[in-house]
Amino acid sequence: MRALVMSEPSAGSDRTAVRDIDVPRPGPGEVSIDVAHAGINFIDVMARRGDPGYASSWPYVPGLEVSGTVREVGPGVSGVLAGERVAAFTRGGGFAEVAVADAALVVPVPETVPTAVAAAAPLMLATALLLLTDVARVQPGETVLMQAAGGGVGSAVAQLVPVLGGGLRIGTVGRAAKVAAAREQGWDVALVRDADLVAGIRSAAPAGVDVVLDPAGTTLLDVDLDVAAPGARIVLFGNPGGGTPDPLPPLGRLIGGNVALAGFSISRLTATAPARVSGALRRVVELLADKRLDVAITEVATLAAVPEVHQRLAESRGSGKYVVALQ
Ligand SMILES: NC(=O)c1ccc[n+]([C@@H]2O[C@H](COP(=O)([O-])OP(=O)(O)OC[C@H]3O[C@@H](n4cnc5c(N)ncnc54)[C@H](OP(=O)(O)O)[C@@H]3O)[C@@H](O)[C@H]2O)c1
């Protein structure tokens, strides 16, 4: 079968190519899936460049979220049937004609949800939902700020905030050329991360922001703390630059600001509390099926085109969510 293989760590796409590899078989507790679409994520780029903890081994087949049809059910699996239309969180291996997933992280997808959209549910949409609900516990009418908001997770958060009853959505982007796209993705206010950022956020939310979702390591934490309302929840969930993040702020800034600081990793949650991830996945699929949630998807036609998309994400040139068609 065809699969996208990263042969060794690299800062560029020079070590990523489409190859023929053996079709994987499901082990105990697993299923294999004929992949229809696979979601493309910044996390693939972190694996590609060799950030610790992202690629399980080399050569590595990336891809953490897929949609498709269950091909084979492994020993001990109940509740998932061959032939079922599903979305699944995978442990890598998603950019392939056949992928294997833990049965606990596979959910059914109704015919009304296109597979191109369903492929964005396990990682992108489930992350956005868990960030807003489980971690930040967004309340009706609350103001949500997201840093680096123009990518896949950003577009999902922008769409989910009103579904959850949240209020004003403020998103930040790296340069002025991205403001219009961020507004189209749903951000009520889109601000460039320049020297005027804090003033811009304060002008949009004079009482401060209640929830901050920040995937930029600790580089923007000063800004987050400056604009946080009393009782705010700040969630850190990324490290796009790689390397060792700066230390967290002095305790006094958290205590004095009456602010809660949290971390989030959906990959770790799939290992430590899979039911929370599958619960979120079921909920976003339901929201898509009920047409209460919609997300714009850019579909990439072939596996061979994925390395260029990875490079686009690595250089902050992406916009919204990309998925690749496998069938
Ligand atoms: N912890 C978790 O469970 C979890 C789950 C999913 C994603 N994430 C993280 O959430 C972030 C968004 O993921 P995604 O898949 O939606 O990514 P994406 O589509 O590539 O969007 C990432 C955004 O981050 C910004 N960015 C800031 N610094 C960057 C850098 N050094 N390199 C590249 N982009 C940079 C870019 O835009 P501007 O700079 O122009 O704003 C870009 O739009 C990533 O950092 C990812 O690792 C974490």
Side-chain angles (χ1 to χ4, degrees):
M1 68 166 188
R2 286 173 306 122
L4 194 73
V5 180
M6 295 176 170
S7 53
E8 57 187 337
S10 174
S13 48
D14 54 317
R15 296 287 182 268
T16 311
V18 179
R19 302 216 186 288
D20 260 322
I21 63 169
D22 292 342
V23 173
R25 301 281 311 275
E30 296 177 338
V31 303
S32 64
I33 295 166
D34 286 318
V35 178
H37 285 88
I40 304 174
N41 290 285
F42 191 79
I43 289 176
D44 310 333
V45 175
M46 299 174 86
R48 187 184 76 173
R49 69 189 182 198
D51 286 11
Y54 289 92
S56 41
S57 59
W58 299 91
Y60 175 65
V61 179
L64 294 176
E65 55 179 351
V66 301
S67 62
T69 309
V70 175
R71 176 188 178 94
E72 192 179 353
V73 173
V77 171
S78 58
V80 186
L81 299 173
E84 211 172 348
R85 199 170 183 270
V86 293
F89 198 109
T90 54
R91 269 175 279 142
F95 295 127
E97 288 174 301
V98 180
V100 165
D102 284 342
L105 297 170
V106 176
V107 312
V109 174
E111 292 285 343
T112 49
V113 180
T115 52
V117 176
L123 178 55
M124 179 189 82
L125 282 167
T127 292
L129 182 72
L130 287 164
L131 284 168
L132 286 165
T133 56
D134 267 34
V135 196
R137 298 177 191 271
V138 68
Q139 300 299 309
E142 284 193 328
T143 297
V144 175
L145 166 69
M146 180 161 167
Q147 303 282 12
V153 175
S155 63
V157 168
Q159 293 305 313
L160 271 168
V161 168
V163 175
L164 300 170
L168 185 72
R169 296 163 292 180
I170 306 172
T172 76
V173 292
R175 51 183 187 274
K178 290 186 167 186
V179 166
R183 297 263 309 155
E184 268 170 40
Q185 284 162 13
W187 294 102
D188 301 308
V189 178
L191 299 169
V192 181
R193 293 192 302 279
D194 59 16
D196 298 328
L197 180 58
V198 169
I201 297 168
R202 285 199 179 127
S203 159
V209 301
D210 304 299
V211 168
V212 184
L213 304 181
D214 185 347
T218 49
T219 57
L220 297 168
L221 198 45
D222 262 338
V223 173
D224 302 343
L225 287 161
D226 278 355
V227 300
R233 287 82 68 204
I234 300 171
V235 188
L236 303 181
F237 66 102
N239 186 21
T244 308
D246 290 336
L248 293 174
L251 183 60
R253 284 197 80 184
L254 298 180
I255 293 176
N258 282 290
V259 164
L261 189 57
F264 177 75
S265 162
I266 195 165
S267 304
R268 288 297 301 145
L269 212 53
T270 60
T272 56
R276 281 168 66 184
V277 176
S278 62
L281 178 49
R282 274 176 208 282
R283 188 162 170 207
V284 292
V285 169
E286 267 169 35
L287 290 170
L288 292 167
D290 294 351
K291 310 264 182 262
R292 280 183 287 158
L293 175 66
D294 193 16
V295 282
I297 299 290
T298 301
E299 188 170 332
V300 175
T302 64
L303 270 185
V306 173
E308 192 280 318
V309 178
H310 280 153
Q311 195 53 25
R312 210 182 297 176
L313 301 190
E315 296 172 7
S316 300
R317 290 186 287 110
S319 181
K321 178 67 178 180
Y322 300 85
V323 305
V324 60
L326 269 297
Q327 310 279 337

